[in-house]
Amino acid sequence: MEALAEFAALIEQYSKTDGINETALPRVSVIKASKPSEPIHGVHQPALCILAQGRKQVILGDKVFYYDATRYLVASVDVPVVGQVIEATPEKPYLCFRLTLDPAIISTLILETGLDNSAAVTANQNPGSSLSLATVTPELLDACIRLLRVLANPRDLPILAPLAEREILYRLLTGADEARLRQIAQADSKLHQINRAIGWIKQHFAEPFSIETLAAEARMSASALHHHFKSVTAMSPLQYQKQLRLQEARRLILLQGSDAATAGHQVGYESPSQFSREYSRLFGAPPLRDANRLKSSPDMLMSA
């Protein structure tokens, strides 16, 4: 397929190294991997991910999402996941186009195109899982290719890039992910309320909190918060907080050279033994051994 071949060539052109490569476009990055990766823990941000080559799996709770060049992934909120490139070779590397989803742009597009007719219905919908898969259409692929083509002409970026980005979002809004995109943009949707709770946890993850406090921040009842939070993230708010704490501690140990006790204390653990136990349960090894393993395997540091 000529379009897919061009898509792969464009991604590889702007992938200077294996890993995440930022581009001159503010919300667009391209990702390359020349070999399968180990399972990688990370927080998946709201984004559209389309592959030109290779295969990947993303684990959220007890669900596994597999995608390749025929299916794209959409993430609607910041959510801890385990990602793994499962098909890639030096001759045919894993190649991914990632567009960060901006709620303001989506909201403006909905209003300007008259796609806001079902706003009341969307606001009351159960938000469902934060991750979803859908079929890549020729129209969506074509819009992504045209967005990447603009990178070759910096003078064209401020004029043509927004048009191509808006078309990509329009294709999502008129396709299988219509309801999900609406919920991302709509201020009174259940997903937006859960996103407020997630934002609060991210700011206060090192502090203890009550479900009642979080529910007030989300403007929901405690029972509704717990139900919808688990539906979206596949975990409870306290489990979400634990994931953020442990991932930040891992970053402190690896990148800042903190010892395990200091890192655990900084992210809110009072008991070093509890920290070590929960760290080992999540990452499969105690902090020091895990850090040594990561340093010897740079591909494990790639974003999920």
Side-chain angles (χ1 to χ4, degrees):
M1 183 179 176
E2 290 185 13
L4 193 59
E6 181 182 3
F7 190 42
L10 284 166
I11 293 174
E12 192 150 26
Q13 178 182 345
Y14 296 104
S15 297
K16 299 177 180 64
T17 63
D18 276 18
I20 300 171
N21 295 267
E22 302 300 333
T23 72
L25 297 165
R27 285 170 291 281
V28 175
S29 56
V30 290
I31 306 166
K32 178 181 177 181
S34 299
K35 62 180 181 179
S37 72
E38 298 289 334
I40 303 161
H41 291 263
V43 176
H44 206 309
Q45 297 177 331
L48 163 69
C49 297
I50 304 182
L51 304 189
Q53 287 180 176
R55 293 181 68 223
K56 186 171 186 178
Q57 69 176 26
V58 176
I59 301 173
L60 174 63
D62 59 358
K63 292 183 179 179
V64 183
F65 298 80
Y66 294 96
Y67 60 110
D68 54 20
T70 66
R71 295 197 295 175
Y72 65 81
L73 178 82
V74 166
S76 57
V77 299
D78 290 349
V79 62
V81 299
V82 182
Q84 184 175 16
V85 174
I86 56 177
E87 184 178 298
T89 66
E91 297 74 27
K92 196 170 183 180
Y94 164 90
L95 298 170
C96 175
F97 165 92
R98 184 175 70 186
L99 173 66
T100 299
L101 299 176
D102 186 321
I105 296 176
I106 299 171
S107 180
T108 300
L109 182 61
I110 289 172
L111 292 173
E112 291 179 356
T113 55
L115 293 170
D116 58 339
N117 296 331
S118 57
V121 175
T122 303
N124 294 317
Q125 280 184 338
N126 187 320
S129 173
S130 57
L131 299 184
S132 70
L133 296 172
T135 300
V136 178
T137 64
E139 295 80 10
L140 177 60
L141 181 60
D142 181 60
C144 293
I145 289 171
R146 281 186 280 107
L147 181 57
L148 290 178
R149 282 180 189 159
V150 176
L151 287 168
N153 300 289
R155 187 178 65 178
D156 295 341
L157 286 177
I159 304 301
L160 299 182
L163 297 177
E165 181 178 359
R166 282 163 60 88
E167 182 179 348
I168 292 169
L169 297 175
Y170 174 79
R171 297 299 177 189
L172 297 180
L173 279 165
T174 55
D177 276 297
E178 174 190 4
R180 188 174 306 275
L181 268 286
R182 287 179 181 276
Q183 289 180 22
I184 290 173
Q186 198 168 328
D188 59 347
S189 69
K190 294 289 190 297
L191 183 66
H192 194 83
Q193 291 175 294
I194 294 303
N195 213 14
R196 275 201 297 266
I198 287 173
W200 191 93
I201 294 174
K202 288 173 65 179
Q203 289 183 346
H204 303 275
F205 70 85
E207 308 166 16
F209 68 86
S210 67
I211 294 299
E212 289 71 25
T213 298
L214 194 61
E217 181 66 26
R219 300 170 196 169
M220 306 174 82
S221 69
S223 59
L225 170 69
H226 192 274
H227 172 73
H228 289 301
F229 197 100
K230 193 157 190 178
S231 173
V232 170
T233 68
M235 60 192 79
S236 70
L238 291 175
Q239 289 171 328
Y240 189 102
Q241 178 198 40
K242 183 189 295 184
Q243 290 261 350
L244 293 188
R245 282 181 168 184
L246 293 172
Q247 290 196 28
E248 173 61 11
R250 196 186 207 194
R251 188 190 69 82
L252 292 172
I253 293 169
L254 186 67
L255 300 182
Q256 296 189 11
S258 297
D259 60 75
T262 301
H265 180 73
Q266 282 188 254
V267 301
Y269 280 90
E270 296 182 1
S271 166
S273 61
Q274 181 187 3
F275 168 68
S276 182
R277 185 167 58 251
E278 293 187 355
Y279 188 105
S280 298
R281 187 178 301 131
L282 181 62
F283 298 123
L288 181 58
R289 194 193 313 162
D290 178 60
N292 290 334
R293 178 179 59 176
L294 285 171
K295 289 173 183 176
S296 64
S297 303
D299 64 301
M300 291 185 68
L301 301 179
M302 289 172 57
S303 170

